[in-house]
Amino acid sequence: MIGYLLGCRRLLGMVVVMLCLLGLAAYNTMPRQEDPSFPHRAGLLTVQYPGASADAVERLVLRPLADELLQVEEVDVAAGTARTGVALVRVRLYDTIYDTDAAWDRVRQAMERARREFPGDVGQMALDDRIIDIPAIVLAVGGSSSTVVLTDVAEKVKEALSDLPGMSRVELEGDVTEQITLALDDAALYRLGVSPAAVLDTLASRNQTSAGGFVVTEGRRLSILPNSEFTSLDAIRATPIDLPDGSQVPLASAAEVWRGPAEPRQPETWFDGERVVLVSLVMSEDSTDAIRFGERVRERLASLRAEVAPFTVKEMFFQPDQVSDRLDNLAWSLLASVAIIIAVVFLGMGLRMGILVASILPMVTMISIGLYDLGGGVLHQIAVIGMVISLGILIDNAIVVVENIQTQLDRGAARLAALASAIRELAGPLGASTGTTLAAFAPLLLSKGGTADFTRGIPVMIMLTLSVSYLLAISVVPLLAARFLRPRTSPGRDRIAGLAGVLGGLVARAPRTLVIVSLVMVAGSLALTPWMKLQFFPDADRPQVIVEMYMPEGTDQARTAEVAESLERALRSRPETLLVHRFVGFTGPSFYYNLLRYPQAPNRARLVVGTPTLADTGPLIRWVRDYAARDLPELDLTVSVLGQGPPRSAPVEVRLYHPNDHIRAQITERVFSELRRTPGAVDVRHDIDLGVPSIDVNVDDAVAARYGVNRADVARSLYGQSFGVVAEQYRQEDDPIPMVLRSREGTALSLSRLMSINIYNARGDAVPLSALATTETSWQPAARYLRNGTRVNTVSANLAAGFSFSDVLGGLESTLADQPLPEGSRMEYGGDAEGSSDANSAILTTAPIGILLLLFFLLVQFNSFRRVGIVLLTVPLATVGIIPGLVLSGSPFGFQSLLGVIALVGIVVNNAIVLLDVMDRQLARGEAVVDAVRKAVEQRTRPILLTTATTVAGLLPLAFSSSTLWPPMAWAIISGLLASTVLTLLVVPAICRLVIRPPQAQPLPEAAATGNP
C-alpha cells in the first residue's frame, strides 16, 4: 500500500485539490437556514359544527374522530378541544415517523371514516399538516384605515411575489373577506306580509347564471348575455318582492343593503400601532438559500412599492437577516478558532511542523463541506457548530503523524523509511481512535425525534470531518511531511519535553497514590452536583418578549382587542420597549421555529415586543406580570422570551386525568395552587372550563304545532337573526361575495328584541317567538379537552430566571407526596420534562449500538479486555472537570451539555488509545512494564497536550459567544477535557503500571527444543 501511495502521489494531490474546489463551490451555492427543518409530524384538524354546544361537539364529533385517529398506527397523540360550533384536534405522529406524507394520507382516510358517524349538519372538516412551517418573511401592508382596501393591496403584493424562485406558498393574515348584508326589518316584513323565505326564493331566482346562447351574423358568432345576475348593490336594492295581493315592492322597502367586512369579527394584525394586513412568505426549506431568497424579495419589493403607493409595504419579520447574522457570527467564530488553533500548533510544534499540521484544517473543512452538500446537507448553525467542535479534534491525527515522522528523521531515518514506518505504526491506532470517536457520536446520529432532528447536524459534520481527516492523515500528511520536514540538528528539550519526563517519573514512582487521588477528585466533583443547574434547552438570544394573552372562554373578540390595546399602550410607556406588534383573534404568524401555531379564537391575542438588548427583556417581563396582575384582573397571560429546541407549549406542563369531571377539576385546582406556591414557577395557568352563560329557548311543541311551526323553524329563525344565512353570491368581483340575510342588529341583538322576533310557518304567516317559547339563562361548558379520547385538564407554567423544570416539578412532587391525589387520579408531565425524557430515551435506545462499535474498535486494536477496561476508565475521569466547569461558568446542564459530554468521550478515549499503543510497542520490544509506561507518557505527552490545547482553543470563541445555545456545550468539553487530559496522562499509566503484565515468551515445542525431527 505504501508503495502504491508513493506511486500515485500526483493523482492523490489532484483529487485532494479537486475536492477542495468542490467544497469551495458548495459553500457559495448550498442552501442556508438559521436552524434545521423538522419533519411534518404535527397537524391541526378543524371540524365546523355551527350552533352545536361544546358538549354536543365532544359527543358527536370529537369522540368518533378520536376513535378513528387512534387506529392510525403512526398517530401518537390526538389532543382535541370541543368549543361551541367547532372541534379542534392537534394530531402528532410518532417521533420515529419520517415518511410523513403517507402517514397524513392515512389520517385523512380516518377522517373520512369518522365523517360517516357525524350528524348530517356537521360542516367543513379540514386538516393542516404543515403547521410547523414558518414564514421566512412577514410583510405588513399598511397606509389605510380600511382593512378591505388593505386586503386588496395585499392580494396584489401576494400575486407579485408568488413566482419568486424558492417560494413555497404565500399566505395572507389579518385580511378580511367581505359580505353584502341584507338587514331585514322584521316589522316591515310583518306589515307587508312577506316572509324571509320568500325573500330568499326571490333573490335565488333573480341571481341566476343562465346561458343565452349565440346567434350567427355574417359568419361570426355573437354571444347573448342575459341580464340574470346582480351587477350592483342598487340592483339588489331594486329587486322586486311579490306581496300577497299580487303587487310588488323593492327589497329596499324591507331591508337595508350594504357591503362591508364579513361578520363575526375576523383576526386583526397591528404593526407597531398601525392596522395592517400581513403577507407571509413561506420558503421551500432544505433547498433554498434563505439569504439569497431575502435578496430576491427585497429586489422585487423595491419596484413593487412604487406600484402600490401611497400604501406601504414594511418588513415585520425578516428571517434572512437572522440567518445572515447567525451564520456570519459563527463563521467568525470558526475563523477565530482556526487562528487560535494554528497559533497553538506553531507554539507547540515549531514553524515547519506547524505549517504542515495547520494545512490539514482548510483541506478537511473544504472537502467535508463539499461532501456534506453532495449528500443534500443544508448549511445552518447546527452544522457549523459541528465543524467548530471537530476543528481541534481533526488535527489530532495529523499531529501524531507529523510528530512521529519528525522524531524518526531526528534519529537519522531516511525520508521514505520514516514515512513508511509512520504509516505502519499509526494507521491502526489512529483508525481505532477515529473509530471510537465515530462510535461515540453514533447514538446521536441514529436517534430519532424532534431533539435528534434539531441536533443531527452535529454528529453528521463531526463524523464526516473526522473520517476525512483520518484519510488525509495516513495519505496526504505523510507525503507532505516526508517532503518538507528536515532533521533537527539539536532537537533539545523544551518545556513540554521536561514536563513529559516529570509525568513519566511520577507514574513510575507513585501509581497507587495517583489512583487514590483520582478517586477522591471524582468523588469531590460528584459532590458538586446539587449546585449544577438543569435546563433542557436554553432560551433564544433574540431581544424580543412574547406576551400570550388568554381572555376567559366566551369573550368576544372586540373585548379581547380592547384589553390587548390597553396593554400595548402601557408597554409603550416603558423605556425598554422599542416596538410592539399586536395580533388579536389569533396568535399571529409563527415567525420563529419554536413558536407553536394556534387556531383562531376570539379570546386569544399575542404581543411581540422588541427591546434594545437581550438584557432588557428580564425587567420588562417582570413589569408586564406586575401590571397585568394589578390592572387587568380578567386577563390570563404568559410572558417570556423565545425558546430553543423542539417546540412546546410551556416549559412546565402537568396533565391531569380522572373519570369524574368534578374530581378532575378539584385536583387541577389543587395542582394549580401548589404550582403557584412552588419557587421558580411563574405565569401559572390552567384550562379548567369555567363555562359561559347561555340562553335556552324552550319551545312548547303543542303551541308551535298549532301555529304550523316546529323547533327546526325556530332554530333557523334564531340563527338567521344573529349570524344570518347566505342567500346568494355576488359574482361581479374576482372572488364571489356572499349575500347574508339577517336582522339589523345581527349578533348585537338584545334579549328583549330576541323574544319579539317573528317565526314564519310554511304558509308565510308570522308568529311571535314569545307566543310559543320561553327563555331561561343557563351555564354551559365553554370547552372540553380530550387527549387520546380521554378527558384531561392541564396546568402549565413558565420558569423564573435561574430555575429549571426539574426544580419546579421536584417541589410539586414533594408537596403531593405528603398529600396524594385522590384514588383514580393520574398525572403526567409534558413540556420540557417530556421533551427531555423523549430525547434521553431516543439516545438510550441507540446507545447500545454506539457502545458495541466502541468495544469493537478497541478490541480490534488491543485484543485485550483488560486494556479495553483501562481505556474506558477515562470516561468517568472526565467528570472531574465537567461538573466544576459548568458550576463555575454558570452554565446549565441540559441537552447541549450532554452533546459536549458525548464529544468528550470520543476525545479522552483517543488519548488513552495512543498512550496504550506506545506502551504495548515498548512491551513488545522486551521493556519492563515500568519503563514502557514511563516512555509511553514521555512520547505521548506532547501530542495529547497539543490535541487538548487545540480543542480547547477552538472552542473558546463558542464559550465566550453571546449565543445562549452553545456556551454550555463548549464549557462541558473544555472543563472536562482539561481535567481528563491530566488524569489520562497520570491515572491511565498508573493503572497500567499496576495491572498490566509483560507478555510471556511462548515455550517452543518439545521436538524443536531437542532438535529431534
Side-chain angles (χ1 to χ4, degrees):
M1 174 188 173
I2 297 173
Y4 181 78
L5 180 64
L6 292 173
C8 298
R9 56 183 180 271
R10 291 179 179 84
L11 176 62
L12 178 62
M14 186 192 73
V15 170
V16 170
V17 170
M18 295 302 295
L19 289 175
C20 290
L21 292 177
L22 172 67
L24 189 61
Y27 181 77
N28 293 320
T29 59
M30 66 191 306
R32 284 169 166 79
Q33 298 171 190
E34 182 179 10
D35 296 293
S37 303
F38 292 94
H40 293 94
R41 298 193 186 102
L44 180 64
L45 200 163
T46 307
V47 185
Q48 302 292 336
Y49 192 5
S53 66
D55 273 339
V57 171
E58 179 196 4
R59 286 185 294 102
L60 303 176
V61 175
L62 206 52
R63 289 193 177 276
L65 191 56
D67 291 341
E68 293 294 339
L69 289 174
L70 293 176
Q71 294 181 34
V72 180
E73 294 179 354
E74 294 89 345
V75 172
D76 180 20
V77 175
T81 302
R83 291 193 174 98
T84 302
V86 64
L88 304 168
V89 184
R90 283 191 170 275
V91 183
R92 194 178 74 211
L93 306 179
Y94 280 104
D95 285 342
T96 55
I97 302 300
Y98 284 86
D99 185 10
T100 57
D101 289 340
W104 289 123
D105 287 341
R106 284 185 278 276
V107 168
R108 288 183 172 87
Q109 293 170 8
M111 292 164 53
E112 292 305 317
R113 293 195 301 269
R115 180 181 281 279
R116 300 171 193 162
E117 304 179 38
F118 293 169
D121 52 349
V122 170
Q124 183 181 6
M125 179 167 57
L127 171 66
D128 181 3
D129 59 6
R130 292 295 184 268
I131 64 172
I132 68 170
D133 283 347
I134 65 171
I137 298 170
V138 179
L139 304 173
V141 178
S144 173
S145 59
S146 170
T147 51
V148 174
V149 174
L150 292 179
T151 299
D152 291 338
V153 178
E155 288 284 359
K156 295 178 182 178
V157 174
K158 173 183 177 180
E159 183 179 349
L161 297 176
S162 295
D163 63 341
L164 281 173
M167 185 76 73
S168 174
R169 65 181 186 274
V170 184
E171 299 175 343
L172 299 187
E173 295 181 287
D175 58 319
V176 296
T177 55
E178 292 185 274
Q179 72 179 35
I180 295 175
T181 304
L182 312 178
L184 296 176
D185 186 332
D186 210 27
L189 289 177
Y190 183 78
R191 185 175 63 253
L192 295 172
V194 178
S195 69
V199 177
L200 286 172
D201 293 339
T202 302
L203 291 173
S205 62
R206 171 69 178 81
N207 194 43
Q208 294 291 328
T209 304
S210 304
F214 63 87
V215 296
V216 179
T217 304
E218 296 179 356
R220 298 181 64 86
R221 291 183 176 184
L222 300 179
S223 298
I224 302 173
L225 302 177
N227 183 19
S228 59
E229 284 189 315
F230 292 126
T231 57
S232 65
L233 294 185
D234 289 336
I236 298 174
R237 295 186 182 100
T239 300
I241 305 297
D242 294 329
L243 300 181
D245 60 4
S247 60
Q248 295 179 328
V249 295
L251 177 62
S253 300
E256 293 182 25
V257 180
W258 70 80
R259 177 175 173 175
E263 298 178 5
R265 199 163 171 170
Q266 295 170 291
E268 304 167 4
T269 54
W270 302 77
F271 179 94
D272 203 21
E274 179 187 6
R275 181 74 166 90
V276 295
V277 172
L278 303 184
V279 182
S280 297
L281 313 181
V282 180
M283 182 184 72
S284 299
E285 293 186 333
D286 295 338
S287 61
T288 305
D289 186 339
I291 299 174
R292 291 192 177 92
F293 179 76
E295 293 171 352
R296 289 193 291 266
V297 170
R298 281 177 171 159
E299 289 173 2
R300 186 71 60 87
L301 287 177
S303 58
L304 183 61
R305 286 190 173 98
E307 297 179 16
V308 301
F311 303 101
T312 60
V313 182
K314 302 176 183 177
E315 297 173 1
M316 177 177 275
F317 303 110
F318 203 84
Q319 185 68 15
D321 283 348
Q322 299 289 339
V323 176
S324 179
D325 292 343
R326 179 73 66 191
L327 294 183
D328 285 348
N329 290 335
L330 289 175
W332 283 111
S333 296
L334 186 66
L335 292 175
S337 298
V338 170
I340 296 173
I341 290 171
I342 291 175
V344 171
V345 170
F346 283 167
L347 289 174
M349 304 188 71
L351 181 61
R352 190 178 293 270
M353 287 194 297
I355 292 175
L356 284 178
V357 172
S359 66
I360 201 76
L361 287 173
M363 284 192 287
V364 173
T365 301
M366 288 297 100
I367 293 173
S368 299
I369 289 176
L371 297 177
Y372 181 67
D373 182 50
L374 286 177
V378 179
L379 191 64
H380 43 63
Q381 64 167 332
I382 307 299
V384 177
I385 289 299
M387 195 177 303
V388 173
I389 295 173
S390 65
L391 280 178
I393 310 173
L394 65 86
I395 63 171
D396 181 21
N397 295 333
I399 289 174
V400 174
V401 171
V402 171
E403 179 83 13
N404 185 286
I405 293 176
Q406 182 64 67
T407 301
Q408 295 192 54
L409 290 175
D410 293 341
R411 293 172 180 170
R415 293 180 180 277
L416 295 183
L419 180 153
S421 176
I423 294 178
R424 277 195 302 267
E425 289 183 9
L426 298 176
L430 293 183
S433 64
T434 302
T436 55
T437 305
L438 300 182
F441 284 98
L444 279 178
L445 180 69
L446 300 175
S447 62
K448 297 179 180 180
T451 304
D453 296 332
F454 182 74
T455 58
R456 183 164 286 116
I458 291 178
V460 167
M461 189 58 74
I462 290 178
M463 298 173 80
L464 183 60
T465 54
L466 291 184
S467 299
V468 172
S469 73
Y470 170 72
L471 294 176
L472 294 184
I474 62 173
S475 58
V476 176
V477 171
L479 291 174
L480 294 175
R483 182 176 180 84
F484 293 106
L485 290 183
R486 300 286 186 272
R488 292 175 293 189
T489 55
S490 55
R493 286 177 62 84
D494 56 14
R495 294 183 178 180
I496 296 181
L499 176 62
V502 172
L503 295 178
L506 186 60
V507 168
R509 290 192 306 272
R512 289 184 175 81
T513 303
L514 291 175
V515 173
I516 294 172
V517 170
S518 68
L519 292 176
V520 172
M521 294 177 67
V522 170
S525 175
L526 295 175
L528 295 176
T529 303
W531 285 272
M532 187 169 58
K533 295 184 293 183
L534 300 178
Q535 187 180 49
F536 181 39
F537 268 92
D539 293 328
D541 53 1
R542 293 195 185 188
Q544 291 175 320
V545 173
I546 311 299
V547 183
E548 301 285 3
M549 304 176 61
Y550 305 82
M551 295 292 285
E553 288 282 356
T555 302
D556 187 64
Q557 185 171 314
R559 176 57 185 161
T560 304
E562 291 175 5
V563 176
E565 184 180 6
S566 171
L567 181 55
E568 179 181 340
R569 283 197 306 268
L571 277 166
R572 291 185 182 280
S573 66
R574 299 293 303 171
E576 303 95 340
T577 302
L578 285 182
L579 54 83
V580 184
H581 301 319
R582 175 166 32 117
F583 311 102
V584 179
F586 75 136
T587 54
S590 299
F591 60 92
Y592 186 66
Y593 80 96
N594 195 264
L595 281 177
L596 290 173
R597 275 179 67 181
Y598 293 93
Q600 295 181 13
N603 66 320
R604 287 296 307 271
R606 174 185 285 168
L607 302 181
V608 179
V609 187
T611 61
T613 65
L614 186 62
D616 294 316
T617 58
L620 188 61
I621 287 173
R622 290 189 291 272
W623 179 87
V624 170
R625 290 181 180 134
D626 293 340
Y627 176 84
R630 183 180 65 252
D631 295 344
L632 301 173
E634 63 180 322
L635 176 64
D636 196 5
L637 60 75
T638 65
V639 52
S640 63
V641 295
L642 294 168
Q644 298 271 19
R648 57 2 177 205
S649 57
V652 175
E653 188 177 18
V654 182
R655 294 189 286 266
L656 298 156
Y657 301 86
H658 196 282
N660 185 289
D661 291 345
H662 180 66
I663 296 178
R664 188 176 64 256
Q666 287 182 336
I667 63 177
T668 303
E669 285 280 9
R670 182 182 165 197
V671 171
F672 171 75
S673 301
E674 296 295 348
L675 267 183
R676 293 190 67 178
R677 290 193 291 266
T678 302
V682 294
D683 300 336
V684 184
R685 59 180 306 272
H686 60 65
D687 62 0
I688 295 178
D689 177 21
L690 301 178
V692 291
S694 302
I695 302 171
D696 295 336
V697 178
N698 302 312
V699 178
D700 188 323
D701 293 328
V703 175
R706 287 200 300 270
Y707 286 107
V709 297
N710 54 36
R711 295 190 181 195
D713 296 327
V714 174
R716 282 193 295 269
S717 295
L718 291 172
Y719 192 84
Q721 288 286 330
S722 56
F723 275 109
V725 294
V726 177
E728 271 299 316
Q729 299 284 333
Y730 181 73
R731 292 180 281 267
Q732 302 304 312
E733 305 288 345
D734 293 338
D735 296 316
I737 301 175
M739 298 163 55
V740 180
L741 204 67
R742 65 167 177 79
S743 66
R744 276 199 180 97
E745 299 89 344
T747 54
L749 196 70
S750 65
L751 296 182
S752 58
R753 173 76 178 83
L754 177 70
M755 291 306 297
S756 66
I757 67 172
N758 291 321
I759 309 299
Y760 292 86
N761 58 22
R763 299 186 302 273
D765 300 330
V767 182
L769 177 63
S770 57
L772 47 85
T774 59
T775 61
E776 63 179 353
T777 303
S778 64
W779 204 258
Q780 296 289 334
R784 294 292 194 205
Y785 303 97
L786 273 73
R787 184 178 176 86
N788 290 345
T790 305
R791 282 190 178 178
V792 63
N793 284 109
T794 304
V795 182
S796 59
N798 283 339
L799 297 172
F803 288 87
S804 68
F805 71 91
S806 57
D807 296 333
V808 174
L809 294 180
L812 175 65
E813 288 175 349
S814 63
T815 303
L816 297 180
D818 299 331
Q819 297 178 331
L821 297 177
E823 192 72 24
S825 302
R826 180 163 58 92
M827 183 173 70
E828 66 181 25
Y829 296 141
D832 284 351
E834 184 178 44
S836 178
S837 175
D838 291 344
N840 294 335
S841 298
I843 292 180
L844 291 176
T845 301
T846 55
I849 299 176
I851 295 172
L852 288 176
L853 287 174
L854 184 67
L855 294 175
F856 170 79
F857 286 113
L858 291 176
L859 286 172
V860 166
Q861 174 62 25
F862 296 113
N863 194 27
S864 167
F865 286 112
R866 183 173 297 181
R867 284 165 173 75
V868 169
I870 293 173
V871 171
L872 295 179
L873 282 177
T874 58
V875 177
L877 294 180
T879 60
V880 173
I882 294 174
I883 299 175
L886 292 176
V887 171
L888 294 176
S889 66
S891 299
F893 184 84
F895 195 80
Q896 298 305 102
S897 304
L898 181 60
L899 291 179
V901 173
I902 293 172
L904 190 61
V905 169
I907 300 171
V908 299
V909 168
N910 289 350
N911 292 339
I913 289 174
V914 296
L915 196 65
L916 287 179
D917 176 67
V918 175
M919 182 196 71
D920 283 340
R921 279 192 274 116
Q922 297 298 324
L923 291 175
R925 293 171 184 166
E927 296 271 3
V929 173
V930 61
D931 296 328
V933 167
R934 187 183 67 253
K935 289 183 179 180
V937 173
E938 292 174 350
Q939 289 185 29
R940 285 296 179 236
T941 295
R942 183 186 299 273
I944 290 175
L945 290 182
L946 280 176
T947 301
T948 299
T950 54
T951 305
V952 170
L955 290 171
L956 285 177
L958 282 185
F960 291 103
S961 69
S962 59
S963 171
T964 57
L965 190 59
W966 304 116
M969 181 191 66
W971 282 118
I973 299 177
I974 290 173
S975 58
L977 187 57
L978 289 174
S980 66
T981 298
V982 176
L983 293 178
T984 298
L985 286 171
L986 293 174
V987 178
V988 170
I991 296 176
C992 291
R993 171 78 174 81
L994 297 174
V995 302
I996 296 295
R997 298 291 178 263
Q1000 300 294 323
Q1002 295 296 326
L1004 294 174
E1006 184 177 350
T1010 59
N1012 296 328

